[in-house]
Amino acid sequence: MMVIKYLFLGFIFLMTACTDQNNTDNQTNWQLSRTIEVDGIKVYGKEDRLVFMPQGESDISKGGHFSIYFWGKPEEIADKYKLIGIHKDSGTKQTLYPDWEVSKTENELGADAQSGAKYILDKKGMWRLEVYMGDEYFDSIVVKAT
């Protein structure tokens, strides 16, 4: 019986270790993010973590104006965020949106915080859009620029 208890505890530990959303392994993932619906609104990213909502004619695969919504623990949400773009083929890394204020007020998606962004992807191909809260990596989405 004691062996089963330790096997169960080991299994729980393994599952917990493998599901950390903030693991830096997310920074090496190049799987395209998807379009999802949050409360009936089409957005791009990861439900209950990080989503980009295009404004007007903006297109996630080209750039434009976006509302960005963040879900996280209070200690993860800083007063400012930064958006970094990394181009997969060239390895080019550029700041797409510098330190910008984050609002922690109520919003239409029920996120813990929100902000705006404006960017243009200047090379075709895969881009990882990394969000940093303060100096800490928060999460990212992957898009294909056309």
Side-chain angles (χ1 to χ4, degrees):
M1 189 68 166
M2 193 64 113
V3 171
I4 293 173
K5 178 181 175 182
Y6 287 114
L7 286 173
F8 180 75
L9 287 174
F11 176 76
I12 296 296
F13 174 78
L14 181 61
M15 292 303 294
T16 303
C18 292
T19 58
D20 182 10
Q21 287 184 332
N22 292 320
N23 189 322
T24 55
D25 288 345
N26 288 332
Q27 291 176 282
T28 59
N29 180 2
W30 286 97
Q31 180 177 346
L32 279 175
S33 298
R34 57 191 178 95
T35 301
I36 55 177
E37 280 194 29
V38 177
D39 294 334
I41 300 169
K42 287 191 178 195
V43 296
Y44 198 82
K46 300 173 183 174
E47 189 172 6
D48 294 329
R49 185 64 180 167
L50 173 68
V51 296
F52 286 62
M53 179 189 301
Q55 300 298 308
E57 299 296 316
S58 298
D59 184 333
I60 197 74
S61 65
K62 293 180 173 101
H65 293 264
F66 299 86
S67 293
I68 302 178
Y69 297 88
F70 313 96
W71 287 262
K73 298 173 187 168
E75 61 271 16
E76 291 180 299
I77 309 291
D79 293 332
K80 292 188 176 191
Y81 89 97
K82 175 173 32 181
L83 182 63
I84 304 292
I86 300 172
H87 186 254
K88 183 179 181 183
D89 294 334
S90 69
T92 302
K93 184 175 184 177
Q94 63 188 59
T95 300
L96 297 175
Y97 212 64
D99 289 336
W100 197 254
E101 291 187 17
V102 171
S103 171
K104 298 176 185 174
T105 59
E106 287 187 29
N107 55 71
E108 61 192 322
L109 297 185
D112 298 314
Q114 69 180 27
S115 193
K118 179 180 174 184
Y119 69 86
I120 294 176
L121 300 175
D122 61 356
K123 291 182 176 85
K124 291 183 179 185
M126 303 282 279
W127 284 85
R128 187 174 53 250
L129 308 180
E130 295 183 347
V131 171
Y132 288 81
M133 287 286 179
D135 292 328
E136 298 294 319
Y137 173 77
F138 179 75
D139 211 327
S140 62
I141 67 170
V142 176
V143 301
K144 184 174 182 179
T146 57

PDB file of all heavy atoms in Angstrom, residues 39-61:
ATOM      1  N   ASP A  39     -15.937  34.573 -24.556  1.00  0.00           N
ATOM      2  CA  ASP A  39     -17.224  35.251 -24.357  1.00  0.00           C
ATOM      3  C   ASP A  39     -17.829  35.723 -25.681  1.00  0.00           C
ATOM      4  O   ASP A  39     -18.330  36.843 -25.792  1.00  0.00           O
ATOM      5  CB  ASP A  39     -17.071  36.425 -23.385  1.00  0.00           C
ATOM      6  CG  ASP A  39     -16.706  35.960 -21.981  1.00  0.00           C
ATOM      7  OD1 ASP A  39     -17.045  34.809 -21.629  1.00  0.00           O
ATOM      8  OD2 ASP A  39     -16.084  36.736 -21.240  1.00  0.00           O
ATOM      9  N   GLY A  40     -17.736  34.885 -26.713  1.00  0.00           N
ATOM     10  CA  GLY A  40     -18.336  35.183 -28.003  1.00  0.00           C
ATOM     11  C   GLY A  40     -17.539  36.133 -28.888  1.00  0.00           C
ATOM     12  O   GLY A  40     -17.989  36.503 -29.961  1.00  0.00           O
ATOM     13  N   ILE A  41     -16.353  36.535 -28.449  1.00  0.00           N
ATOM     14  CA  ILE A  41     -15.526  37.465 -29.216  1.00  0.00           C
ATOM     15  C   ILE A  41     -14.333  36.703 -29.785  1.00  0.00           C
ATOM     16  O   ILE A  41     -13.626  36.008 -29.056  1.00  0.00           O
ATOM     17  CB  ILE A  41     -15.042  38.620 -28.320  1.00  0.00           C
ATOM     18  CG1 ILE A  41     -16.251  39.382 -27.758  1.00  0.00           C
ATOM     19  CG2 ILE A  41     -14.125  39.564 -29.095  1.00  0.00           C
ATOM     20  CD1 ILE A  41     -15.904  40.359 -26.670  1.00  0.00           C
ATOM     21  N   LYS A  42     -14.088  36.835 -31.117  1.00  0.00           N
ATOM     22  CA  LYS A  42     -12.954  36.147 -31.744  1.00  0.00           C
ATOM     23  C   LYS A  42     -11.652  36.883 -31.429  1.00  0.00           C
ATOM     24  O   LYS A  42     -11.536  38.079 -31.675  1.00  0.00           O
ATOM     25  CB  LYS A  42     -13.141  36.042 -33.244  1.00  0.00           C
ATOM     26  CG  LYS A  42     -14.196  35.036 -33.611  1.00  0.00           C
ATOM     27  CD  LYS A  42     -14.199  34.745 -35.073  1.00  0.00           C
ATOM     28  CE  LYS A  42     -15.272  33.683 -35.310  1.00  0.00           C
ATOM     29  NZ  LYS A  42     -15.159  33.069 -36.595  1.00  0.00           N
ATOM     30  N   VAL A  43     -10.714  36.131 -30.880  1.00  0.00           N
ATOM     31  CA  VAL A  43      -9.403  36.656 -30.513  1.00  0.00           C
ATOM     32  C   VAL A  43      -8.348  35.639 -30.922  1.00  0.00           C
ATOM     33  O   VAL A  43      -8.670  34.532 -31.344  1.00  0.00           O
ATOM     34  CB  VAL A  43      -9.323  36.967 -29.006  1.00  0.00           C
ATOM     35  CG1 VAL A  43     -10.283  38.076 -28.621  1.00  0.00           C
ATOM     36  CG2 VAL A  43      -9.607  35.730 -28.171  1.00  0.00           C
ATOM     37  N   TYR A  44      -7.093  35.993 -30.769  1.00  0.00           N
ATOM     38  CA  TYR A  44      -5.990  35.136 -31.180  1.00  0.00           C
ATOM     39  C   TYR A  44      -5.070  34.910 -30.002  1.00  0.00           C
ATOM     40  O   TYR A  44      -4.654  35.862 -29.348  1.00  0.00           O
ATOM     41  CB  TYR A  44      -5.235  35.835 -32.315  1.00  0.00           C
ATOM     42  CG  TYR A  44      -4.352  34.919 -33.108  1.00  0.00           C
ATOM     43  CD1 TYR A  44      -4.867  34.130 -34.124  1.00  0.00           C
ATOM     44  CD2 TYR A  44      -3.001  34.837 -32.836  1.00  0.00           C
ATOM     45  CE1 TYR A  44      -4.062  33.284 -34.864  1.00  0.00           C
ATOM     46  CE2 TYR A  44      -2.192  33.995 -33.565  1.00  0.00           C
ATOM     47  CZ  TYR A  44      -2.721  33.233 -34.576  1.00  0.00           C
ATOM     48  OH  TYR A  44      -1.912  32.388 -35.294  1.00  0.00           O
ATOM     49  N   GLY A  45      -4.756  33.674 -29.677  1.00  0.00           N
ATOM     50  CA  GLY A  45      -3.811  33.405 -28.598  1.00  0.00           C
ATOM     51  C   GLY A  45      -4.175  32.219 -27.751  1.00  0.00           C
ATOM     52  O   GLY A  45      -4.535  31.166 -28.264  1.00  0.00           O
ATOM     53  N   LYS A  46      -4.089  32.419 -26.442  1.00  0.00           N
ATOM     54  CA  LYS A  46      -4.289  31.354 -25.470  1.00  0.00           C
ATOM     55  C   LYS A  46      -5.368  31.769 -24.480  1.00  0.00           C
ATOM     56  O   LYS A  46      -5.173  32.708 -23.701  1.00  0.00           O
ATOM     57  CB  LYS A  46      -2.987  31.076 -24.715  1.00  0.00           C
ATOM     58  CG  LYS A  46      -1.854  30.643 -25.608  1.00  0.00           C
ATOM     59  CD  LYS A  46      -0.554  30.550 -24.823  1.00  0.00           C
ATOM     60  CE  LYS A  46       0.583  30.175 -25.759  1.00  0.00           C
ATOM     61  NZ  LYS A  46       1.871  30.225 -25.064  1.00  0.00           N
ATOM     62  N   GLU A  47      -6.495  31.061 -24.525  1.00  0.00           N
ATOM     63  CA  GLU A  47      -7.611  31.374 -23.638  1.00  0.00           C
ATOM     64  C   GLU A  47      -7.165  31.356 -22.181  1.00  0.00           C
ATOM     65  O   GLU A  47      -6.396  30.496 -21.762  1.00  0.00           O
ATOM     66  CB  GLU A  47      -8.742  30.373 -23.855  1.00  0.00           C
ATOM     67  CG  GLU A  47      -9.998  30.747 -23.147  1.00  0.00           C
ATOM     68  CD  GLU A  47     -11.165  29.857 -23.537  1.00  0.00           C
ATOM     69  OE1 GLU A  47     -10.971  28.874 -24.280  1.00  0.00           O
ATOM     70  OE2 GLU A  47     -12.271  30.156 -23.082  1.00  0.00           O
ATOM     71  N   ASP A  48      -7.640  32.327 -21.428  1.00  0.00           N
ATOM     72  CA  ASP A  48      -7.345  32.467 -19.997  1.00  0.00           C
ATOM     73  C   ASP A  48      -5.866  32.684 -19.707  1.00  0.00           C
ATOM     74  O   ASP A  48      -5.380  32.388 -18.613  1.00  0.00           O
ATOM     75  CB  ASP A  48      -7.868  31.264 -19.199  1.00  0.00           C
ATOM     76  CG  ASP A  48      -9.386  31.186 -19.230  1.00  0.00           C
ATOM     77  OD1 ASP A  48     -10.043  32.246 -19.303  1.00  0.00           O
ATOM     78  OD2 ASP A  48      -9.915  30.063 -19.181  1.00  0.00           O
ATOM     79  N   ARG A  49      -5.116  33.208 -20.692  1.00  0.00           N
ATOM     80  CA  ARG A  49      -3.711  33.538 -20.457  1.00  0.00           C
ATOM     81  C   ARG A  49      -3.304  34.804 -21.203  1.00  0.00           C
ATOM     82  O   ARG A  49      -2.937  35.787 -20.599  1.00  0.00           O
ATOM     83  CB  ARG A  49      -2.805  32.354 -20.851  1.00  0.00           C
ATOM     84  CG  ARG A  49      -1.347  32.573 -20.530  1.00  0.00           C
ATOM     85  CD  ARG A  49      -1.138  32.694 -19.045  1.00  0.00           C
ATOM     86  NE  ARG A  49       0.283  32.911 -18.761  1.00  0.00           N
ATOM     87  CZ  ARG A  49       0.749  33.285 -17.612  1.00  0.00           C
ATOM     88  NH1 ARG A  49      -0.054  33.497 -16.597  1.00  0.00           N
ATOM     89  NH2 ARG A  49       2.027  33.461 -17.423  1.00  0.00           N
ATOM     90  N   LEU A  50      -3.368  34.759 -22.542  1.00  0.00           N
ATOM     91  CA  LEU A  50      -2.902  35.881 -23.353  1.00  0.00           C
ATOM     92  C   LEU A  50      -3.632  35.874 -24.685  1.00  0.00           C
ATOM     93  O   LEU A  50      -3.551  34.891 -25.422  1.00  0.00           O
ATOM     94  CB  LEU A  50      -1.391  35.744 -23.597  1.00  0.00           C
ATOM     95  CG  LEU A  50      -0.744  36.727 -24.568  1.00  0.00           C
ATOM     96  CD1 LEU A  50      -0.765  38.138 -23.994  1.00  0.00           C
ATOM     97  CD2 LEU A  50       0.690  36.297 -24.859  1.00  0.00           C
ATOM     98  N   VAL A  51      -4.373  36.932 -24.971  1.00  0.00           N
ATOM     99  CA  VAL A  51      -5.052  37.009 -26.265  1.00  0.00           C
ATOM    100  C   VAL A  51      -4.882  38.392 -26.884  1.00  0.00           C
ATOM    101  O   VAL A  51      -4.790  39.398 -26.187  1.00  0.00           O
ATOM    102  CB  VAL A  51      -6.558  36.654 -26.186  1.00  0.00           C
ATOM    103  CG1 VAL A  51      -6.769  35.220 -25.772  1.00  0.00           C
ATOM    104  CG2 VAL A  51      -7.316  37.591 -25.284  1.00  0.00           C
ATOM    105  N   PHE A  52      -4.810  38.390 -28.212  1.00  0.00           N
ATOM    106  CA  PHE A  52      -4.726  39.606 -29.009  1.00  0.00           C
ATOM    107  C   PHE A  52      -6.049  39.755 -29.744  1.00  0.00           C
ATOM    108  O   PHE A  52      -6.476  38.836 -30.431  1.00  0.00           O
ATOM    109  CB  PHE A  52      -3.604  39.477 -30.044  1.00  0.00           C
ATOM    110  CG  PHE A  52      -2.214  39.582 -29.492  1.00  0.00           C
ATOM    111  CD1 PHE A  52      -1.732  38.671 -28.567  1.00  0.00           C
ATOM    112  CD2 PHE A  52      -1.369  40.594 -29.929  1.00  0.00           C
ATOM    113  CE1 PHE A  52      -0.444  38.764 -28.084  1.00  0.00           C
ATOM    114  CE2 PHE A  52      -0.076  40.698 -29.453  1.00  0.00           C
ATOM    115  CZ  PHE A  52       0.392  39.783 -28.519  1.00  0.00           C
ATOM    116  N   MET A  53      -6.671  40.921 -29.628  1.00  0.00           N
ATOM    117  CA  MET A  53      -7.917  41.201 -30.326  1.00  0.00           C
ATOM    118  C   MET A  53      -7.645  42.293 -31.361  1.00  0.00           C
ATOM    119  O   MET A  53      -7.327  43.428 -30.997  1.00  0.00           O
ATOM    120  CB  MET A  53      -9.007  41.674 -29.365  1.00  0.00           C
ATOM    121  CG  MET A  53     -10.318  41.990 -30.075  1.00  0.00           C
ATOM    122  SD  MET A  53     -11.552  42.793 -29.014  1.00  0.00           S
ATOM    123  CE  MET A  53     -11.764  41.588 -27.741  1.00  0.00           C
ATOM    124  N   PRO A  54      -7.747  41.956 -32.660  1.00  0.00           N
ATOM    125  CA  PRO A  54      -7.521  42.960 -33.698  1.00  0.00           C
ATOM    126  C   PRO A  54      -8.551  44.087 -33.609  1.00  0.00           C
ATOM    127  O   PRO A  54      -9.707  43.848 -33.306  1.00  0.00           O
ATOM    128  CB  PRO A  54      -7.688  42.184 -35.007  1.00  0.00           C
ATOM    129  CG  PRO A  54      -7.545  40.745 -34.625  1.00  0.00           C
ATOM    130  CD  PRO A  54      -8.036  40.640 -33.218  1.00  0.00           C
ATOM    131  N   GLN A  55      -8.100  45.305 -33.871  1.00  0.00           N
ATOM    132  CA  GLN A  55      -8.977  46.473 -33.908  1.00  0.00           C
ATOM    133  C   GLN A  55      -9.106  46.915 -35.360  1.00  0.00           C
ATOM    134  O   GLN A  55      -8.109  46.992 -36.075  1.00  0.00           O
ATOM    135  CB  GLN A  55      -8.400  47.604 -33.056  1.00  0.00           C
ATOM    136  CG  GLN A  55      -8.222  47.236 -31.596  1.00  0.00           C
ATOM    137  CD  GLN A  55      -9.537  46.897 -30.930  1.00  0.00           C
ATOM    138  OE1 GLN A  55     -10.493  47.661 -30.998  1.00  0.00           O
ATOM    139  NE2 GLN A  55      -9.602  45.742 -30.299  1.00  0.00           N
ATOM    140  N   GLY A  56     -10.307  47.191 -35.797  1.00  0.00           N
ATOM    141  CA  GLY A  56     -10.549  47.639 -37.165  1.00  0.00           C
ATOM    142  C   GLY A  56     -10.106  46.603 -38.178  1.00  0.00           C
ATOM    143  O   GLY A  56     -10.451  45.432 -38.070  1.00  0.00           O
ATOM    144  N   GLU A  57      -9.329  47.008 -39.154  1.00  0.00           N
ATOM    145  CA  GLU A  57      -8.865  46.139 -40.240  1.00  0.00           C
ATOM    146  C   GLU A  57      -7.548  45.420 -39.920  1.00  0.00           C
ATOM    147  O   GLU A  57      -6.955  44.814 -40.800  1.00  0.00           O
ATOM    148  CB  GLU A  57      -8.696  46.958 -41.527  1.00  0.00           C
ATOM    149  CG  GLU A  57      -9.990  47.596 -42.018  1.00  0.00           C
ATOM    150  CD  GLU A  57     -11.029  46.574 -42.421  1.00  0.00           C
ATOM    151  OE1 GLU A  57     -10.697  45.587 -43.110  1.00  0.00           O
ATOM    152  OE2 GLU A  57     -12.203  46.759 -42.027  1.00  0.00           O
ATOM    153  N   SER A  58      -7.077  45.497 -38.701  1.00  0.00           N
ATOM    154  CA  SER A  58      -5.802  44.875 -38.337  1.00  0.00           C
ATOM    155  C   SER A  58      -5.857  43.371 -38.529  1.00  0.00           C
ATOM    156  O   SER A  58      -6.905  42.748 -38.390  1.00  0.00           O
ATOM    157  CB  SER A  58      -5.448  45.212 -36.892  1.00  0.00           C
ATOM    158  OG  SER A  58      -5.283  46.608 -36.757  1.00  0.00           O
ATOM    159  N   ASP A  59      -4.712  42.800 -38.853  1.00  0.00           N
ATOM    160  CA  ASP A  59      -4.589  41.363 -39.126  1.00  0.00           C
ATOM    161  C   ASP A  59      -3.419  40.825 -38.316  1.00  0.00           C
ATOM    162  O   ASP A  59      -2.312  41.334 -38.410  1.00  0.00           O
ATOM    163  CB  ASP A  59      -4.338  41.164 -40.626  1.00  0.00           C
ATOM    164  CG  ASP A  59      -4.279  39.712 -41.046  1.00  0.00           C
ATOM    165  OD1 ASP A  59      -3.920  38.837 -40.227  1.00  0.00           O
ATOM    166  OD2 ASP A  59      -4.567  39.448 -42.224  1.00  0.00           O
ATOM    167  N   ILE A  60      -3.668  39.787 -37.545  1.00  0.00           N
ATOM    168  CA  ILE A  60      -2.629  39.228 -36.674  1.00  0.00           C
ATOM    169  C   ILE A  60      -1.401  38.794 -37.466  1.00  0.00           C
ATOM    170  O   ILE A  60      -0.286  38.824 -36.963  1.00  0.00           O
ATOM    171  CB  ILE A  60      -3.190  38.059 -35.816  1.00  0.00           C
ATOM    172  CG1 ILE A  60      -2.277  37.745 -34.635  1.00  0.00           C
ATOM    173  CG2 ILE A  60      -3.430  36.815 -36.645  1.00  0.00           C
ATOM    174  CD1 ILE A  60      -2.322  38.732 -33.533  1.00  0.00           C
ATOM    175  N   SER A  61      -1.560  38.424 -38.733  1.00  0.00           N
ATOM    176  CA  SER A  61      -0.440  37.931 -39.535  1.00  0.00           C
ATOM    177  C   SER A  61       0.332  39.054 -40.240  1.00  0.00           C
ATOM    178  O   SER A  61       1.334  38.788 -40.888  1.00  0.00           O
ATOM    179  CB  SER A  61      -0.922  36.922 -40.570  1.00  0.00           C
ATOM    180  OG  SER A  61      -1.764  37.544 -41.506  1.00  0.00           O
TER     181      SER A  61
END
